[in-house]
Structure formats: C-alpha cells, structure tokens
Amino acid sequence: MRPARLNPLFAPARALKGVGPRIDGLLNKLLAPRGVGGHARLIDLLWHFPVGLVDRARSPSIAESPLGQIVTLTVRVAEHRPGGGRKGRRAPYRILVEDETSAIDLVYFRADRRYLERLLPVGETRIISGRLESYDGRLQMPHPDHVSPPDTGAGVPEIEPVYPLTAGLSNTSLRKAIQAALGGLPNLPEWIDAAFLDKNGWRSFTESVKQLHAPGSADDLLPSHPARQRLAYDELLANQLALAILRQHMKRRAGRAIAAPGRLGKAIVEALPFALTGAQTRALAEIDADMADPLHMLRLLQGDVGSGKTVVALLAMATAVEAGHQAAFMAPTELLARQHLATIAHFAEPAGLRIALLTGRERGKERLAILDALQGGEIDILIGTHALFQDPIAFRDLGLAVIDEQHRFGVHQRLALQEKGLGAGAELLVMTATPIPRTLLLTSYGDLDVSRLDEKPPGRKPVTTRIIPLERLDEVIDGVARAVESGAQVYWVCPLVGESEVLDLAAAEERCADLRGQFGERVGLVHGKLAGKEKDAVMARFAAGELSVLVSTTVIEVGVDVPNASVMIIEHAERFGLAQLHQLRGRVGRGAAQSSCLLLYKQPLGEIARERLNVMRETEDGFVIAEEDLRLRGGGEVLGTRQSGLPAFRIAQLPEHQDLLAAARDDARLRLARTPRLEGESGEALRLLLYLFERDDAVKLMRAG
C-alpha cells in the first residue's frame, strides 16, 4: 500500500480546480503514463518541466511595439465588435483597445460574448500580454495570453515558463494546472544525507520542485541547475535502491554450490578449432567462482559481436551438467534459438552432452516427448525462446539458466525467470552482444555482476567501412556483382521506414525485386513477417551458399552467423542508431576473407547522423561505439527502443547526470547494508522515495523477504 501522505500526488489531474473534461482529455493525451488507467495524475504534472521562457517584461507603448514579438501593454477598452455572418462562416469577435499612441484589435475566435464583456469592460483599463501581429493593415493581438486589471496583485508575470504541449492545450491552461498541482505538494522527510545535501548546495525536495517550475533565467532550465540535480539524484537513488533490493532478494534465495573437476569443459576446449582468448578465460574463472559459491549467481556477460560469448556459456553449462544438473539456454527469437542449437551442438559433441530444442514450433507428440525427456533427466541442455519461462516446463534439476540478448527482456522478466520456478534454484547468466555503456550498466543491470569480453578471437581481420551517398547506388550494385562473381556473399539491409513493419517490408521487397533483376534467383529475402520455417529455409540456403545476396529487414541484426558472408550493405544508414549499425556490421568479418561494410546515406546529412556514420568508419570497438551512442542520443534511446527494458527516467538525463548515478549507486548499497529492511526513520524516508518514483515492486520484494 502506498503511504497515505503520497496519495494526493497520485490523484487524477481532473480533481484539480479549473481542470474540466476538455483540459483533462488533453492532459491525459500529453502526460498519462501507460498502465495506470490512462489518466494524468498530479505527479505527472509535477514531473513535466518547462523547456523555455517567455519574457513579458517588455512594456512599450502600442506605437513602439515590435511586430511578431510578445509585448505587455497597458490599454483602455474602447469598443466591442461581435463577429457576425452566416453560421459556419462567423467573423471573429474583435475588441478595440488603445493608449495615448495608437490602437489595436484584440481578436477572439469562437468567443463567449458575456465572458469577454466581463473580462474587458468598455472604458476600463487593462494590462494585456501576447504576440503583436498585423492583419490587413491593422495591428492585432489574437487571443492574448494574459488580461488583468492593474493593481490587483495578480498581474502579468514578467518571466513565464514554457512547457511542451499537445495540440489544443495552451501554455496558460497547462501552467495553471501545474500551479494547482504544486499546491498539493506534501512536506516529506529528507532521504538524502545532510552532509551530501550541504556539499551540493541542494534544497529540500518540495522547494526543488517549486523552483524548477519558476525559472528566472535560461540557466534555470539546464540539467546542471541545483534543483534539477537534486531531483535527478532522487530519481536515480530510487532506481539504484530498487535494483539493490532486487539483488538482495535474488541473492537471499536458496542457492547451491555448483562445481566440477572440468572434464567435460576440457573435452570441449581441446576440440575447438581456436584457442580461448584471455578475456574468455577470465570470464570463465569469474563464472566458475560464482557458481561454486552457495549464494545465487547473478552475472551479466557482455561482449562485442564475435567475442565468443556462446563458447563461454557452453563451458559454464558443461560445468553444471558435470556437477549433475541441467542447463537452459534462452534466445530472444526462434531463428536465433535454432542457430544456437547448431553452434552449441557442434561444439558440445566431444563432451557427449545431450541437447534439445524447444520453441513454439515443436508441438503435439514431439513436444511431449521433449518435456518427458527433460523431466526424466535425459536432456542436459535445453535451448529455446522466452517460452521456456512462460510455459509450465519442468526440469529434473535445473542448475544454470543462460539468457542471450538480455536487453530484449528487462529487469521484470529477469525477476519472472526466478519467480516462476525455472530459476528458483538455478544460477543465472545473462548475455548481450550489445556493448553497454557504464552508465546504462548501472541503471539497468545494477542487480548483476558483470564480466566483459573485450578481445576478439585471434586472426579476425578488421572490417573496412565506407560511407557512400545513395546517388552512387549503381556503382554499389556493380561492386556487388564483382563480389558475387568472386564467390563472396552479401547482406543487403533495407531501411527502417518510420515505425512501420509494413513499410519496412515493402522497402525490402522492392530492393529484392531490383536485385533479382540483375542476379536472378540467387537473391533471397528475410523479414519479420515470414513464418519461422520459411525464414529458417531462406537462412539455410544462404548459409549453404545457394544464395549470393540476402536482402533483409533488421531481423538479421543479432546472432545470425554465416562466415562466408563478407559484404554488408546498409541502405539509409542515417536512419539507424549506432548500436544497431554496429550489430549489423558484426554479421560480416567472421570468416577468413577481408570483409567490408558500406553505409549508404541520403543527402543532406544532419550533424548527428554525420557524426554517427563517422564513428562507424573510425572504430570497430563496440564499447567505444556504445559510449558515443549514449553521448549522441541520450540514455533513453540507446539499445534501440523503449522496449529494451531500460528505465525511462522522467527527470534524470544521461549522460549529463552520470556522476550523480555513481553516487546514487554507492549510497543505495551503503544504506541497504546498514538497514537491510529499510527500518527506522531513515528507512521509512527511503520507502517513501521508492513509492514516489513508482518503484513499488522493490518494497513488495522486501516484504516478501
């Protein structure tokens, strides 16, 4: 249950004075978070900060007022001129106002005459503020932002904050709703250490919120402003505290020591056609130590494309099997699950490991036979999709669960994996081929220990990357023809077209038809709408060398492995994020041939797009690329989309607030070490913080023990 003192902040915005059905609908459209019934709440208004300022201090006479700018005028109301005309073609309502120097029209569309007569009585003096325009040779001010009598104390504000809006909602209406919401701010106990507050010159939570909604200058809008930093720290502390509680909860569950002499692992390593890298050896030592510890293993294995994560995972699973347990390997898509099956089965053969696949495609008797074998302990390693933890699948004794491409799942699914029984007594190893900047590791994987594969297997040649305008498409196709003639295979990735899978598919089909005109049936097409069997059949033909060119949407982004493919062409590369471009380029350079990647772009290029493509040309280091991606795009967009399981911060901005993030991580762990159940006054304040930033799940976990 949310503490009662916070309830007013989570009341719907429609409860505020002055928020009628029309304004409420617009606020819902602008601010309502998903999953809370679609209604904007007071807290959503408070977290909606201004992005600009309007200076209304300019108070010239009418004659001196500049056109096109916001001015504040003291005028006398001379005459009302109601709009006339036929229904549907009604003229606007005009009010003539004047000072000693000139006159202007105040213009209102769809006006309420009685309201305007009360607001602007003839013969009275009023202060008005708005943008001055000229129409048909006459000065006018359409729908003034402010109208007030002089000397009432509620005059026109000299500096007014400007907020992000939605169509139909005025800044004035939104500002009034926010001011009303600010009136409902409760006094809350302080959850930040007093010395840390003083050191940073921060004020209380309530004062900071009010300060951010009353900026006095452009500097007050910056991420570096003390009030913004204070609230960003609050949000980051809530995030880090929730992750620390999740980690504490996972670690507290009954784990077990899993250790083995290494006979199976040795058989696999001796049969490998390559030597393990130093990074692989180091990661394996960290994983083995975690598994041998009776506490739960919660480890993230992050490695660049081609750095050898699958082999590390297999050797960890071999340890679990040798110790008498089973292992599960979960991939984000059926295509990848099948590819992992081929790779793992090949490498595992010398150790005699029994491996099976379970996806949505295995049905009926075949599925029942797999489930029976699994429960009977006749399967050592089960490979599948996320259905492995959604379905009621029973292992005889699951010792290790490996999740590939973890960023597709997220913290909540990690928790579900443990809660649903699959990982209740299992060690957990999650992997990603998307190098993650340190900042995002803290915000999204703070519950996990991290092993990093930062070396590529020996003998891998760097991929030559070139940036080419689309106007030279004919030259590119000629180059493809030469590459195909020499026996090379080519990926051709089609552009992202908005957010539409249908349009993406249309672009891919069109390019495929063009290339088939030149290369005939040696061109294949893969996209997300294809049924699993069809997709696998096309990929199998490409892997077998029957197809020379594979046209694709981004479905081939992660994991697909065809060592003979040595050319990657990405059309409209300016539409892709850096992490995605890096993943796509990683599909080539996996064999002995010199590989190349061509980034085709449409001119003119924006500044950020140009920087992004230049980064791709200058480096292949995925960790460098990840940091640049964070710098160029900000934390919310790195790793692709909001579906990535990343927390969507409403106040904190990354990387601008990354120093605060590191401090919040240390603070959260220290506070939890002192009071593991957040007891006492200090703990109670931190619980309020978790509820305030809607990290309620962490409190529930703590109560569950």
Side-chain angles (χ1 to χ4, degrees), residues 384-550:
T385 58
H386 58 277
L388 290 187
F389 73 81
Q390 290 180 334
D391 293 347
I393 292 169
F395 289 77
R396 181 184 59 78
D397 180 9
L398 181 67
L400 173 63
V402 179
I403 313 178
D404 189 31
E405 284 312 313
Q406 164 57 31
H407 74 265
R408 304 264 180 121
F409 296 103
V411 174
H412 288 289
Q413 279 122 323
R414 265 201 313 273
L415 190 55
L417 182 72
Q418 297 270 327
E419 296 295 333
K420 292 204 175 194
L422 174 61
E427 306 296 279
L428 183 64
L429 176 66
V430 297
M431 311 196 304
T432 178
T434 305
I436 304 166
R438 180 176 174 274
T439 305
L440 298 188
L441 275 177
L442 289 179
T443 58
S444 301
Y445 302 99
D447 55 320
L448 303 175
D449 298 306
V450 179
S451 292
R452 185 163 166 171
L453 298 182
D454 49 11
E455 299 173 45
K456 284 197 177 179
R460 285 273 174 98
K461 296 177 182 174
V463 177
T464 304
T465 303
R466 293 166 60 203
I467 303 171
I468 299 171
L470 271 166
E471 288 85 346
R472 292 172 58 191
L473 184 62
D474 289 346
E475 292 175 45
V476 172
I477 291 174
D478 289 344
V480 169
R482 289 192 296 274
V484 168
E485 191 67 32
S486 69
Q489 287 177 279
V490 179
Y491 288 109
W492 191 302
V493 178
C494 288
L496 291 160
V497 184
E499 294 293 316
S500 167
E501 231 182 299
V502 175
L503 292 174
D504 287 355
L505 173 54
E509 285 176 333
E510 188 178 338
R511 178 60 62 214
C512 182
D514 289 345
L515 293 172
R516 276 184 181 154
Q518 180 149 351
F519 301 107
E521 292 306 308
R522 292 186 65 78
V523 180
L525 175 64
V526 173
H527 54 79
K529 295 280 187 184
L530 273 183
K533 284 185 179 177
E534 294 176 79
K535 204 182 296 178
D536 290 351
V538 178
M539 288 305 307
R541 289 184 66 206
F542 188 59
E546 295 171 28
L547 297 174
S548 298
V549 182
L550 183 67

Side-chain angles (χ1 to χ4, degrees), residues 356-360 362 367 370-371 374 382-385 387-388 393:
L357 177 74
L358 191 64
T359 68
E362 284 71 44
R367 186 177 187 83
I370 294 170
L371 294 177
L374 189 67
L382 183 66
I383 298 171
T385 58
L388 290 187
I393 292 169

Side-chain angles (χ1 to χ4, degrees), residues 326-338:
Q326 293 165 295
F329 187 104
M330 187 168 72
T333 67
E334 195 171 302
L335 180 67
L336 291 177
R338 291 184 181 280

Side-chain angles (χ1 to χ4, degrees), residues 167-227:
L169 183 65
S170 71
N171 195 66
T172 302
S173 297
L174 178 58
R175 192 172 56 83
K176 285 178 180 174
I178 288 172
Q179 289 304 312
L182 286 168
L185 265 174
N187 283 320
L188 298 174
E190 185 55 73
W191 43 76
I192 297 180
D193 178 71
F196 193 60
L197 272 180
D198 291 342
K199 177 186 167 189
N200 288 289
W202 293 344
R203 298 162 76 173
S204 73
F205 168 79
T206 301
E207 288 175 309
S208 298
V209 175
K210 289 179 176 176
Q211 200 175 355
L212 281 181
H213 286 290
S217 71
D219 287 349
D220 294 351
L221 304 171
L222 297 174
S224 56
H225 187 273

